[in-house]
Amino acid sequence: MWIWNIIWLILILYTFLPAFKQRSIEIKRYKMIQDIERKRGTRVIVMIHRQEMLSILGLPLSRYITIEDSEQILRAIRFTPDDMPIDLILHTPGGLVLAAEQIASAIIKHKGKVTVMVPHYAMSGGTLLALAADEIVMDENAVLGPVDPQLGNYPAASLIRVLREKPIDKIDDETLIMADVAEKAIVQVRDSLYRILSKRFDEKKSRDLADMFTEGRWTHDYPISCEQLRQMGLDVSNDLPDEVYRLMELYPQPVQRRPSVQYVPLPYRKRNDE
């Protein structure tokens, strides 16, 4: 019987160990966030979308900007004094337009300075949030992306192009309907982005940038580098605090049986030539 008791004990530990480990990581995250807040004198809000081990079965869950995210961020901004700066740390592939626009609107309305920090990437809706901020701070290799709307698996701009270049009698009803919705979607997102940018830029600059980001000149996953953003006239800094990188390490991807990337996790000093 004692053998079975040991087996059951091992099974129980194996079942609940991930939950204990996750709780330990969450405590470290809060501590790191508080460290950044004390150092910078800001309210730090973190929105990081990665695949984490979220259940006792260890199943990964793809994440993106949702209504729940917008509710939480709006609540955090309400808890922040009007004159207190906010640091919003982003790592996201994008998400729902409604949720992203709600967050962007709250960012613009906040009277204190809002800084968006991007350690790796903030695509689509994440770019919308970055453009709404007073300051964008990115790793020198980090990227933003276009904010052109997507309808299911198809870019809205591509659906409109089908309507423009193909005889209408050769287009099925479903594609015609999707193209009509796509045209409306581009107008809505472009107008929304223009309203956001017009808080920072003059009318012409705001129109030009809104068109550039929404017209579909790039694929939706096209990486827009810091250099390209500066060429567009956007003020982008690369002074990302070291604590942000350490915070990212506390949002691990699922552990793979055989890692695809390996290195000695230590900073090396530059050698002096003798």
Side-chain angles (χ1 to χ4, degrees), residues 171-225:
I171 305 175
D172 62 87
D173 291 346
E174 182 178 356
T175 302
L176 286 172
I177 294 171
M178 291 182 66
D180 178 64
V181 175
E183 190 171 12
K184 294 182 176 69
I186 288 179
V187 171
Q188 290 169 194
V189 174
R190 184 176 63 233
D191 289 348
S192 176
L193 184 55
Y194 166 74
R195 289 193 299 271
I196 290 170
L197 292 167
S198 62
K199 302 295 183 179
R200 318 285 184 218
F201 303 99
D202 60 40
E203 181 178 356
K204 184 180 185 307
K205 186 67 174 178
S206 299
R207 293 286 184 193
D208 290 344
L209 286 172
D211 289 341
M212 189 180 302
F213 276 94
T214 61
E215 67 187 1
R217 67 169 60 184
W218 304 297
T219 59
H220 193 59
D221 62 349
Y222 176 76
I224 304 177
S225 66

Side-chain angles (χ1 to χ4, degrees), residues 89-109:
I89 302 173
L90 289 181
H91 177 82
T92 179
L96 299 179
V97 173
L98 171 59
E101 289 187 352
Q102 283 184 306
I103 298 170
S105 178
I107 288 173
I108 291 174
K109 291 176 182 176

Side-chain angles (χ1 to χ4, degrees), residues 3 45 58 61 116 119 133 156 198 204 216 235 265:
I3 295 178
I45 304 173
L61 178 66
V116 162
S198 62
K204 184 180 185 307
D235 185 14

Side-chain angles (χ1 to χ4, degrees), residues 63-230:
R63 305 186 63 183
Y64 54 88
I65 302 174
T66 65
I67 293 298
E68 182 181 359
D69 290 327
S70 67
E71 289 175 352
Q72 292 296 324
I73 292 180
L74 265 57
R75 186 167 180 259
I77 293 175
R78 285 198 303 271
F79 284 168
T80 306
D82 290 341
D83 59 347
M84 175 176 281
I86 292 176
D87 290 334
L88 176 58
I89 302 173
L90 289 181
H91 177 82
T92 179
L96 299 179
V97 173
L98 171 59
E101 289 187 352
Q102 283 184 306
I103 298 170
S105 178
I107 288 173
I108 291 174
K109 291 176 182 176
H110 184 69
K111 295 179 181 178
K113 180 181 179 181
V114 178
T115 300
V116 162
M117 298 182 176
V118 184
H120 186 57
Y121 78 143
M123 307 296 283
S124 190
T127 298
L128 191 71
L129 305 187
L131 295 174
D134 297 291
E135 181 183 21
I136 303 174
V137 181
M138 302 169 59
D139 179 87
E140 63 180 353
N141 296 309
V143 296
L144 302 183
V147 295
D148 56 309
Q150 309 290 294
L151 273 65
N153 295 323
Y154 304 107
S158 297
L159 289 167
I160 295 173
R161 184 172 180 177
V162 169
L163 191 63
R164 185 172 63 247
E165 297 187 359
K166 192 174 183 179
I168 194 167
D169 60 331
K170 301 293 184 181
I171 305 175
D172 62 87
D173 291 346
E174 182 178 356
T175 302
L176 286 172
I177 294 171
M178 291 182 66
D180 178 64
V181 175
E183 190 171 12
K184 294 182 176 69
I186 288 179
V187 171
Q188 290 169 194
V189 174
R190 184 176 63 233
D191 289 348
S192 176
L193 184 55
Y194 166 74
R195 289 193 299 271
I196 290 170
L197 292 167
S198 62
K199 302 295 183 179
R200 318 285 184 218
F201 303 99
D202 60 40
E203 181 178 356
K204 184 180 185 307
K205 186 67 174 178
S206 299
R207 293 286 184 193
D208 290 344
L209 286 172
D211 289 341
M212 189 180 302
F213 276 94
T214 61
E215 67 187 1
R217 67 169 60 184
W218 304 297
T219 59
H220 193 59
D221 62 349
Y222 176 76
I224 304 177
S225 66
C226 298
E227 291 77 11
Q228 288 176 287
L229 293 169
R230 293 190 185 104

Side-chain angles (χ1 to χ4, degrees), residues 6-21 53 55-58 257:
I6 291 176
I7 293 174
W8 277 111
L9 180 60
I10 292 173
L11 288 174
I12 292 172
L13 290 174
Y14 182 79
T15 300
F16 288 100
L17 188 59
F20 291 132
K21 183 178 179 181
M53 308 295 273
S55 74
I56 60 175
L57 299 178
R257 292 184 179 180

